[in-house]
Amino acid sequence: MLLPLFLMSFSRLTPVELSCEHQQQPLLDITTPRLSWKNISEKEGDKQSAYRIRVVKHEGGKEVVVWDSGKVLSDSSLYIPYGGKTLVSSCDYSWQVKVWDSNDRASQWSKRAKWHTGKLSSKEWKARWIGVPWQGEESYDAEWARKSTKNPRVKAERINIVSPAPLLRKEFEIRKRIRSARFYGAGLGYFELYLNGKRIGNDYFSPNQTNYDSRQYLGTRRIAVEDPFNEYLVMYVSYDLTHLIQRGSNCVGAILGNGFYDMLEYWPPMGYGTPRLFGEIEIEYVDGTRDVVTTDTSWRCTKSAITADQMFYGEHYDARLEHNGWAECGYDDSKWERAVEKRTPRGKLVAQNGPADRVVRRYAPTSITKQEDGSWLVKFPEEISGWVELKNLELSSGQKVDIKYICESLNGANSYIANGSGKASYHARFIWFVFSQVEIRGIERLQAGQVEAQAVNSDVASVAEFECSNHLFNSLHNAWRLTQLDNMHGGVASDCPQRERAPYTGDAQLACQMVMHNFDARAFYNKWIRDIRGAQLANGYVPNSAPWQPGCGGGPAWGAAIAVIPWEYYLQYGDKSIIEENYEPIKRYIEWMDSWVDGEGIMESKDEQKYKRLGDWIMPHKKFPHPATVHTFAYYQCVDIATKIAEVLGISKDITHYASLRKRTVEAYHKRFYNAEEHSYGKHGANVFALYMGMPNNYQQEALEALKREINEASGHFITGIVGTRHIFDVLCEMGEVDLAYSMMNKRTIPSFGYWIEQGSTTLWESWDGNPRHSRNHPMWGGGLAWFYRHLGGLKPLEAGYRTFEVAPKIPKGLDHLRYSLNSVYGEIEVVWRIENGTFSLDCKVPVGTTAKIKLPFGDHSIITAKPGRHTFKREI
């Protein structure tokens, strides 16, 4: 009997954007990956009532179902743990999902997504770490570290002592028909892999940066933090070589760059050792047998045409030293030396779980001008981190081209020497530069098509759009986004991408909410949070950067990243595992903080090292709050987050304990810092911290009035450093002062963000006046912009992951429309409001799986519950 057509129809619900462990096609070394998807539907109020997951293993040229969940009655679409047969190493898996709607109608199967398993056991590795015989084990800066406790002078000519980047190669034979071939491995600091003359992949600065190994001389540096740390890691990557490997002769090769592994002396970083390579190619034949080609001392090595590469000093290339065909079969390597075995780093080998760096944007010049000295000044539309690629230049042998990246901070030098064999093209490989314009010397003619700027950073997807009627706010939003991307490399974010290039924990926690409101940072922070957890010491202390780099100053608010980032991650993405994994480290950090808390409940670190006990930083007019106000505030944040995590995890004894510490801290802050004569807790951010924590009785209003007086005394300008600025706009808006917050952000004179935009900057700066001693590419201020979305747009999660969210825009005088959209873990949320002809209108898109609580700024302020779909509301003003 034929069923009626309406009974045969599929659900309008469609599962899309499948992900596994926060990534689209991840490399995994875990046995129970978690699967997620988003649902879309044209039907208003639609929802998922059940799902079915099917996982297939690709083995021996066949597809074998290893898990069929069957129909599971659940509306969950996030972090569903794999429940099938035990996963095996070095294997491709694909999966898909179908869902049922509220009427029990099934969708069609989704498109397939994939993951690949790496090494599920360390015992499976057969490779050896190898390097070149002309380099020992110690990094370039080891001798200086042994002798000196002072910061070195930066001397550009020091790069002349650097050895050329090593080339390594090996030829091997394949005598059977091939089904698949895959590489697993890493080169430290960075590496590029080649097979049969072709570069593999499009990654740069690979693998991700981690705390690779112990370093003997950490105690000799200013701001000393010494081994052992909680964890050491080396991340390996994997490439599918099936399309390039061939029956018969094959050649595999690699180029090694120094990266952060081997460095010349410079103030913040410290090297680990000399470059080294580790990896193996696993080959599966049609007959089911396997072979493996590993790194060992049978490899040959020599020096490449990259004559020097150093993260802070630059990169230089001499094409006359090229070895044409070096990665192809039949190349004569008889004069090359044999590779030598190198010491195995202390770091545990794990699959890279952070995003790779890639060329993510390309820019044509906006102008090319020949200057009086014969050099070319080339300008691009915005400041980026990356490099310039020169294309199809006609150069004679020995002709040198110098590329000067114009920047206020140390940036490193870059040069290319031609070999005269045809048209030359070149870009750097193992270092990024920061620039919006360059000077190019050494060539007579240069056309627009011969030069291109390429932005290179961690490949994180944009998931948000923001636009409003205030053009300055739009410019600040865009400038911060560019600044943040410029600073994301190797799975960490730096304070600045040129002078320091250091992964500061303080900058990280201040900007993380803003990052998550703009980019898909799930994999990025999942990786970096592990770095922060790994940098923790046995006594609970969390350093000012992670991976730790000597020279990074900070204080208790920097280490608070161990609590702030996982909590914000949980709220944004709804992943409970992130707080489960980091709860004990958070408790240990609080225990360390407790060692500096006095009998009343005030924290003030008095570490003998000044730059381990900073309070706030980059203050307008160089006036700082009392360090104890900032330290106590950081302590409050950590115990407050610990309380909330304990509530989520249901740990009743911890709820009681940390709630009591939270209460004691508020009372102590009031007792110590409240000045009855001034009706204030102090200037330069002290009242901001008081308002955030919530002072007792009527003192909250007094703190607000004191803060307003202080802002008015500053002519409505900024009065806080990086910590206070992160929270000042939130507390003003929450206390009903959105007009004051708007007016502050709208300033265009020093000290303000608008001043930087008025100077033509496309990025945010470190210091208020743009002092050339400071960086003009600093994303730490981004935390002070998140109120654009959370207060002006009114979007906040009420349940983790926006399962339930609030839309309650606050409307300042002078702003008449705003749009913010966010592709959340459930799907796109969009808030659009406009004031026109005396009418306020709000349009809100609610994704499947969520509920919105809407509170309009005009009218009776009642809360409206909105189900999935698009909703429009209007109110007369």
Side-chain angles (χ1 to χ4, degrees), residues 295-538:
T295 50
D296 56 27
T297 55
S298 68
W299 285 55
R300 311 287 288 183
C301 58
T302 194
K303 298 174 181 178
S304 76
I306 302 174
T307 56
D309 67 284
Q310 274 290 308
M311 187 52 69
F312 293 93
Y313 288 83
E315 185 169 314
H316 301 281
Y317 190 95
D318 188 341
R320 297 171 300 179
L321 304 177
E322 289 177 344
H323 303 271
N324 292 327
W326 69 276
E328 297 175 359
C329 296
Y331 177 83
D332 182 5
D333 62 9
S334 59
K335 294 182 180 180
W336 290 31
E337 299 183 59
R338 280 193 175 274
V340 295
E341 192 163 335
K342 292 286 186 178
R343 182 179 58 83
T344 299
R346 184 175 180 177
K348 177 184 177 182
L349 270 170
V350 297
Q352 178 170 297
N353 65 343
D357 281 49
R358 298 187 176 98
V359 175
V360 293
R361 297 180 309 283
R362 300 172 185 268
Y363 301 83
T366 56
S367 68
I368 300 178
T369 306
K370 193 164 191 178
Q371 303 185 112
E372 290 184 1
D373 63 358
S375 66
W376 296 90
L377 178 65
V378 185
K379 296 183 178 181
F380 299 97
E382 54 191 20
E383 182 166 287
I384 64 169
S385 62
W387 48 61
V388 159
E389 181 175 12
L390 303 176
K391 302 179 180 182
N392 299 319
L393 299 179
E394 295 183 0
L395 304 173
S396 58
S397 180
Q399 187 173 349
K400 184 179 181 181
V401 180
D402 285 299
I403 307 168
K404 179 182 179 181
Y405 295 88
I406 299 174
C407 183
E408 80 290 336
S409 300
L410 177 69
N411 214 4
N414 193 203
S415 68
Y416 172 82
I417 300 176
N419 60 16
S421 60
K423 293 184 177 181
S425 297
Y426 166 77
H427 65 71
R429 278 181 162 101
F430 296 129
I431 177 176
W432 63 84
F433 303 90
V434 180
F435 64 99
S436 62
Q437 48 187 310
V438 297
E439 285 183 349
I440 301 175
R441 290 179 168 81
I443 54 178
E444 287 297 320
R445 291 186 298 174
L446 183 66
Q447 298 176 348
Q450 293 179 301
V451 58
E452 179 182 74
Q454 298 175 354
V456 186
N457 56 252
S458 294
D459 193 2
V460 291
S462 174
V463 293
E465 294 179 356
F466 171 80
E467 179 272 329
C468 71
S469 58
N470 186 306
H471 297 303
L472 174 60
F473 287 16
N474 295 336
S475 295
L476 289 172
H477 163 83
N478 293 332
W480 175 82
R481 282 172 58 98
L482 180 62
T483 307
Q484 181 65 42
L485 291 172
D486 284 351
N487 279 273
M488 299 174 83
H489 298 97
V492 299
S494 56
D495 62 322
C496 56
Q498 35 4 35
R499 189 185 76 235
E500 297 184 41
R501 304 175 188 237
Y504 277 84
T505 48
D507 302 51
Q509 68 100 341
L510 295 172
C512 71
Q513 188 184 80
M514 185 71 173
V515 174
M516 296 178 204
H517 276 71
N518 279 274
F519 303 106
D520 182 355
R522 291 175 295 170
F524 180 86
Y525 279 121
N526 191 44
K527 181 267 179 189
W528 196 11
I529 289 170
R530 184 172 182 177
D531 293 328
I532 296 171
R533 187 169 69 241
Q536 190 171 36
L537 302 187

Side-chain angles (χ1 to χ4, degrees), residues 174-228:
I174 291 180
R175 302 192 181 281
K176 299 181 183 180
R177 291 177 57 202
I178 305 156
R179 174 168 287 126
S180 66
R182 198 169 188 103
F183 171 85
Y184 305 87
L188 300 178
Y190 301 138
F191 83 118
E192 291 182 357
L193 186 71
Y194 291 77
L195 181 66
N196 295 330
K198 303 292 185 181
R199 186 181 186 275
I200 306 301
N202 58 356
D203 303 350
Y204 290 98
F205 315 134
S206 182
N208 280 179
Q209 182 184 353
T210 53
N211 190 22
Y212 312 105
D213 203 348
S214 54
R215 289 167 286 180
Q216 184 177 356
Y217 303 107
L218 283 176
T220 67
R221 298 299 179 96
R222 187 175 66 130
I223 317 178
V225 179
E226 297 187 62
D227 289 296

Side-chain angles (χ1 to χ4, degrees), residues 269-287:
M270 187 180 213
Y272 298 81
T274 51
R276 57 205 62 205
L277 178 68
F278 178 93
E280 50 195 52
I281 299 173
E282 290 193 8
I283 305 160
E284 181 186 2
Y285 299 111
V286 171
D287 64 7

